[in-house]
Amino acid sequence: MSLVETPRVEDLLRELAPQVLGTLVRRYGQFDACEDAVQEALLAAARQWADVGVPENPRSWLVTVASRRLVDDWRSESARRRREENVAVLDVRGSGPRSEQDDALTLLFLCCHPSLSVPSQLALTLRAVGGLTTAEIANALLVPETTMAQRISRAKQTIKTSDLGFDLPPEPELADRLRVVLHVLYLVFNEGYTTSSGPALRRADLTTEAIRLARMLHRFMPGEGEVAGLLALMLLTDARRAARTDADRMLIPLAEQRRDLWDTAQIEEGVALVTSTLGTVPIGPYQLQAAIAAVHDEAPSAEETDWPQILALYGVLEQVSPGPVVTLNRAVAVAMVNGPRAGLALLGTLDTDDRMVHTHRLEAVRGHLLELAGDTVAARESYQRAARMTASVPELRYLALRAARLG
C-alpha cells in the first residue's frame, strides 16, 4: 500500500464508485441491493485508506468488500441456499474478461432503460453514475426534493421487478438511450461547473467525472456527432475554470476574465472536436453549444467576441432544441448585437414560463441587461431578487455585490 492524502482518496472513490456498482450489477443483478453494498464499501474505504493507504488494486478491493456485504445479507435470509447457488453462477459468468467498454458505461445505459420514464432515467443516472445527492439532482432538474426522492425510489424498484439485463442496448434502441445519457452527463457537468447550492462555486469531482465519462463514450461511439459535441462543450467550458474567481474567491464574469489563464490545450482539443463534426454529421444541440463556446474561447478579448456569429448560432439552436434556457442565453446575444433593450424584450417572453420559477438566472440576466441599458435602479432590484433566489453562496455574493455597486 502507498500512503495518500485524504482528498486523493475522495477523488479515487468518486471515480471508482460507478465502476464498482456496474461490476456488481453485472454479476449479481439486484440494483438496489448492489448500491447499498457499494455505499458500505465506500464508507469502509474512506475510513481505512486515509489512514493506511490505498491498496494496489483499489477497484478490486471495493468489489470484494461490496460482494461480501451482499453475500452476508443473502446468507441471513431464508432462501440462503438458493441465493448462494445463484450468486455462484452469476459470479462465474460475470468474472470473465471485459472488453474495453467500462462497466460504468453499461451502467449509464442501464439507468436509461426505456422501461423507465425519462425523468426517472435522468434522476437514477445522476444518482448511480454521477454520484449527486437527491437534493443536488432536484436542483439540477428544477423539481422539489421529495418528488426527486420518490422518483429515484420508483426507478430502482422498476429495475428490480423488471429483471433488466446488464448489457448495452441493441442498435434500434441505442439512439434514444444515448440522448438521455448525453443529457445526464450534461447535467452532471453543469452541477459541477456551477454548483446549485453550498459554499463552493464548483465541484471538480463532478466536472472531472463528467468529462471522463464523455471521453469514454466518445471512444465507444466515435462517429456520433453529439457525443463529440458534448465532450467539446465540456472541454471548452472547463478551460475557463482558473479565471472564474479572484483571490478572494469572488465570481468573475466571462467578459472580465483573464484569458491568459484559460487552458489552451483544452480549447484546442475542444475546437478540433467541433471542427471535425460540424457539417459532417447531422447537427444537434451539443454541437451548436460547443460551437458557441468555441467562438467565445477563440476571441482574443471580450471586445473582439464575434457576437453576430454567436447570435446566429443561438438562432439555429432555438430551432433545433427550443427551451427557456436557450432563449435566456439568446437574449444576451441579442443585447450585444442589437442593444440591451432588444435583449430585455426577448427576456420578457420568459416571465410567464413556469420552468423558470425555480431558478435565479432569469433575474440575474435581467439585472445585467438593465445595467447595460443604464437603468441602475431596476438593475439593482433584479440583482437583489436573484440573490434571494440562489442557494449558491458564491453566486449570492456576486449578485449582492453587483447590486451594492449600483447604489
Side-chain angles (χ1 to χ4, degrees):
M1 292 191 179
S2 56
L3 292 178
V4 294
E5 298 294 330
T6 300
R8 169 76 178 97
V9 171
E10 294 173 354
D11 291 345
L12 184 60
L13 292 177
R14 165 74 68 177
E15 178 181 346
L16 292 175
Q19 299 178 34
V20 174
L21 178 57
T23 298
L24 261 68
V25 175
R26 170 169 54 86
R27 289 184 179 182
Y28 309 125
Q30 300 196 24
F31 185 98
D32 209 10
C34 288
E35 188 183 33
D36 289 342
V38 170
Q39 290 302 316
E40 290 288 333
L42 293 174
L43 288 172
R47 288 193 298 265
Q48 297 180 33
W49 295 1
D51 293 331
V52 302
V54 176
E56 292 183 6
N57 192 332
R59 185 176 183 277
S60 293
W61 190 98
L62 289 168
V63 169
T64 299
V65 172
S67 297
R68 286 173 180 166
R69 158 71 193 274
L70 279 173
V71 173
D72 287 345
D73 286 349
W74 289 338
R75 279 174 176 164
S76 65
E77 298 177 3
S78 58
R80 173 183 60 82
R81 182 170 301 172
R82 178 177 57 82
R83 289 182 180 275
E84 287 181 347
E85 290 172 353
N86 288 341
V87 167
V89 171
L90 287 168
D91 200 20
V92 170
R93 184 172 55 197
S95 60
R98 296 285 287 176
S99 65
E100 292 183 359
Q101 71 196 43
D102 194 320
D103 275 331
L105 176 64
T106 311
L107 181 62
L108 271 174
F109 281 93
L110 173 66
C111 292
C112 299
H113 196 277
S115 64
L116 304 173
S117 68
V118 172
S120 293
Q121 291 170 342
L122 293 172
L124 187 60
T125 309
L126 285 168
R127 181 75 182 90
V129 185
L132 273 68
T133 66
T134 302
E136 289 168 340
I137 301 169
N139 281 323
L141 299 182
L142 306 180
V143 298
E145 184 175 350
T146 52
T147 301
M148 186 54 59
Q150 294 169 356
R151 189 174 294 172
I152 293 172
S153 178
R154 286 196 299 268
K156 291 179 181 179
Q157 185 62 27
T158 298
I159 288 179
K160 180 178 180 180
T161 57
S162 301
D163 194 25
L164 303 179
F166 191 74
D167 297 296
L168 287 170
E171 189 65 32
E173 297 178 14
L174 200 57
D176 287 341
R177 300 268 288 277
L178 178 62
R179 184 176 63 253
V180 179
V181 167
L182 293 174
H183 188 190
V184 167
L185 295 183
Y186 179 71
L187 290 172
V188 174
F189 179 84
N190 284 346
E191 177 62 28
Y193 193 70
T194 303
T195 55
S196 55
S197 63
L201 175 64
R202 62 186 296 267
R203 288 179 56 181
D205 52 353
L206 293 184
T207 54
T208 300
E209 179 66 7
I211 291 173
R212 186 188 76 82
L213 291 172
R215 285 190 188 281
M216 180 176 66
L217 198 58
H218 182 53
R219 287 195 302 270
F220 178 61
M221 311 177 81
E224 287 288 342
E226 281 293 81
V227 175
L230 179 59
L231 176 56
L233 176 61
M234 290 179 180
L235 292 169
L236 291 164
T237 304
D238 190 59
R240 310 174 199 140
R241 66 186 181 279
R244 295 181 70 212
T245 55
D246 61 18
D248 297 322
R249 297 185 179 180
M250 288 296 297
L251 184 63
I252 302 175
L254 179 62
E256 300 172 19
Q257 291 177 10
R258 284 183 51 191
R259 300 186 176 219
D260 59 305
L261 296 178
W262 289 0
D263 189 324
T264 55
Q266 282 195 199
I267 293 173
E268 290 173 359
E269 183 182 359
V271 169
L273 283 166
V274 172
T275 304
S276 67
T277 57
L278 279 180
T280 64
V281 293
I283 196 69
Y286 296 115
Q287 296 169 68
L288 288 165
Q289 290 179 73
I292 292 167
V295 175
H296 280 296
D297 285 11
E298 291 187 304
S301 66
E303 294 73 23
E304 296 172 89
T305 301
D306 190 346
W307 282 106
Q309 184 180 358
I310 290 174
L311 179 56
L313 287 167
Y314 271 122
V316 178
L317 179 59
E318 199 158 42
Q319 294 178 22
V320 171
S321 182
V325 175
V326 176
T327 302
L328 187 75
N329 289 322
R330 188 164 75 87
V332 176
V334 167
M336 300 305 294
V337 175
N338 300 321
R341 290 297 174 186
L344 285 164
L346 178 58
L347 206 64
T349 65
L350 296 174
D351 287 340
T352 57
D353 194 316
D354 292 339
R355 291 169 293 181
M356 302 304 290
V357 171
H358 297 282
T359 177
H360 65 287
R361 302 197 185 285
L362 178 58
E363 286 302 322
V365 172
R366 197 194 315 274
H368 174 58
L369 298 188
L370 286 167
E371 185 178 357
L372 291 177
D375 192 343
T376 56
V377 174
R380 182 175 66 249
E381 292 174 351
S382 285
Y383 283 137
Q384 288 171 339
R385 282 194 294 270
R388 289 193 294 269
M389 294 174 69
T390 183
S392 166
V393 174
E395 289 194 319
L396 187 154
R397 291 173 61 198
Y398 169 76
L399 293 164
L401 181 60
R402 300 294 294 194
R405 285 176 176 172
L406 295 177

